[in-house]
Amino acid sequence: MSRLVDVVTALDPEKRNAPIERVVEGLTLDDLLRERDALDRFRDETDNLYEKVRALFFLAYLHRYALPQAPGVLAGGAVPYRGYEHLLKRRFEEAIESFLREWRASGPTDGVSSALAEAYHKLGFQTLADQVRASVRASKGNRWMFRTGHPDDYPLRVRPELLRRAGADGAYPLLRELTPVRMDFSHSGWSDIFFLGMDYPEGARVVNASIDLVVKGAGEPKPPVEAWLRVIDRPVVRLASADLQAVVELT
C-alpha cells in the first residue's frame, strides 16, 4: 500500500496533515517511484475532487523536491520539445505522458523530473478551475458567459431611459456610477476555496470590506472608483480613461 495514498485518504487529521517530507523520509529511488506510480493511478481512479487535487500536488512535490535528490537520478536531461509544446498550450495530461515516455526511455533525470513537477502542479490548479467553471455553469443565468459567439448572445441591454435624447440635437443621458474598492483580508475567495473547503472547512471563510478613500485633508472619504456611460451615435464601443488620458474604440 502507498504511504502517500494513505495520507490523502486518511480520516484521522493527524495522519492526513502529516508533512509530506516526513512521510517520504528515508525512501530509496525505487520506493519513491512506486509512490509516484501509485499516486498517478490513484488520481486517475478517484472521483473525489479533494483526493484528486491533493494527489496531483503530491506528485508535483515528488518530482520537484524528492526525486531529484534521490541517488540514481542524473543531473540535466533533455526535455522533449513536444511535451514542452503541450505544456505551453495547457494540455497538461499530454505533457505528462510525453515527459513520462522520456523518463522511461532515457532514465530518471532531474530535467524531466522538473518538467513533470510543473505539469502536475499546473494540472492540479486546472482541475480546481474546472470545478469553478462547472459550478458557475450549473446556474442557468451564468451559461451565456461560456457560449457567446455573437453580440446578440449577450443578455446585456441598455435601459430605455438612456436611449432618450433631451432634444432633437441633444446628447443622450449620462449614467454615473461610483463604487468603493473591495479588500480581501483572508485571500481565500478564489479557486483555492474549493480545495481549502474540502480539507479544512472551518477555515474556508472569506473576510472582505468595501472601502472609500480620500487624500488626507481633502474632505470626506468617497467611493474611489467612478465610471460614466453614455450612448453615442456610432456603432462602436468607445472606452476612455480619464486617469490614463487614453481612448480606444472597439468595432
Side-chain angles (χ1 to χ4, degrees):
M1 191 65 178
S2 165
R3 292 187 187 183
L4 292 176
V5 173
D6 281 348
V7 171
V8 173
T9 57
L11 298 179
D12 178 15
E14 185 174 350
K15 183 175 183 179
R16 185 183 64 194
N17 299 329
I20 184 173
E21 59 268 22
R22 192 177 74 199
V23 177
V24 301
E25 187 177 7
L27 294 185
T28 66
L29 175 58
D30 288 340
D31 293 333
L32 289 171
L33 291 177
R34 279 192 287 270
E35 288 289 340
R36 195 276 308 274
D37 292 342
L39 280 171
D40 221 0
R41 289 192 301 271
F42 175 76
R43 62 107 178 174
D44 280 334
E45 295 168 357
T46 182
D47 293 326
N48 184 292
L49 178 65
Y50 163 76
E51 293 176 349
K52 185 184 293 289
V53 172
R54 197 170 190 201
L56 286 166
F57 288 158
F58 278 9
L59 283 162
Y61 171 88
L62 288 178
H63 278 288
R64 179 71 71 199
Y65 301 108
L67 282 166
Q69 299 179 25
V73 176
L74 302 176
V79 175
Y81 185 72
R82 185 63 174 161
Y84 175 67
E85 283 187 318
H86 285 314
L87 197 61
L88 290 180
K89 295 177 181 178
R90 304 184 64 80
R91 297 172 181 162
F92 303 126
E93 291 285 7
E94 292 90 338
I96 289 169
E97 291 178 10
S98 177
F99 297 148
L100 286 177
R101 281 196 300 270
E102 179 67 23
W103 178 281
R104 299 185 189 106
S106 304
T109 65
D110 60 4
V112 176
S113 191
S114 176
L116 281 163
E118 184 72 4
Y120 280 122
H121 184 258
K122 288 184 178 298
L123 181 58
F125 281 101
Q126 183 62 58
T127 303
L128 288 173
D130 289 342
Q131 176 60 47
V132 174
R133 192 174 297 109
S135 299
V136 173
R137 284 176 172 171
S139 174
K140 187 176 294 186
N142 291 332
R143 291 175 188 168
W144 65 272
M145 292 188 289
F146 300 96
R147 63 184 186 197
T148 52
H150 187 275
D152 289 342
D153 292 335
Y154 284 89
L156 308 176
R157 300 290 182 267
V158 177
R159 291 180 61 88
E161 299 95 315
L162 297 175
L163 299 176
R164 302 189 190 114
R165 296 188 180 192
D169 299 324
Y172 288 100
L174 185 66
L175 175 68
R176 182 185 183 213
E177 182 72 21
L178 294 93
T179 184
V181 291
R182 174 184 169 188
M183 175 178 287
D184 290 326
F185 297 105
S186 60
H187 193 64
S188 62
W190 315 111
S191 59
D192 56 349
I193 197 70
F194 289 94
F195 188 66
L196 181 62
M198 288 179 287
D199 190 27
Y200 183 51
E202 60 270 33
R205 298 171 182 170
V206 178
V207 181
N208 58 64
S210 296
I211 301 174
D212 292 337
L213 299 174
V214 68
V215 176
K216 187 174 181 179
E220 292 295 319
K222 65 178 183 178
V225 181
E226 189 170 356
W228 299 267
L229 172 69
R230 170 178 278 160
V231 175
I232 60 177
D233 56 359
R234 292 187 57 202
V236 298
V237 176
R238 179 183 295 158
L239 304 176
S241 170
D243 294 330
L244 300 178
Q245 296 184 350
V247 178
V248 64
E249 288 191 353
L250 309 178
T251 59

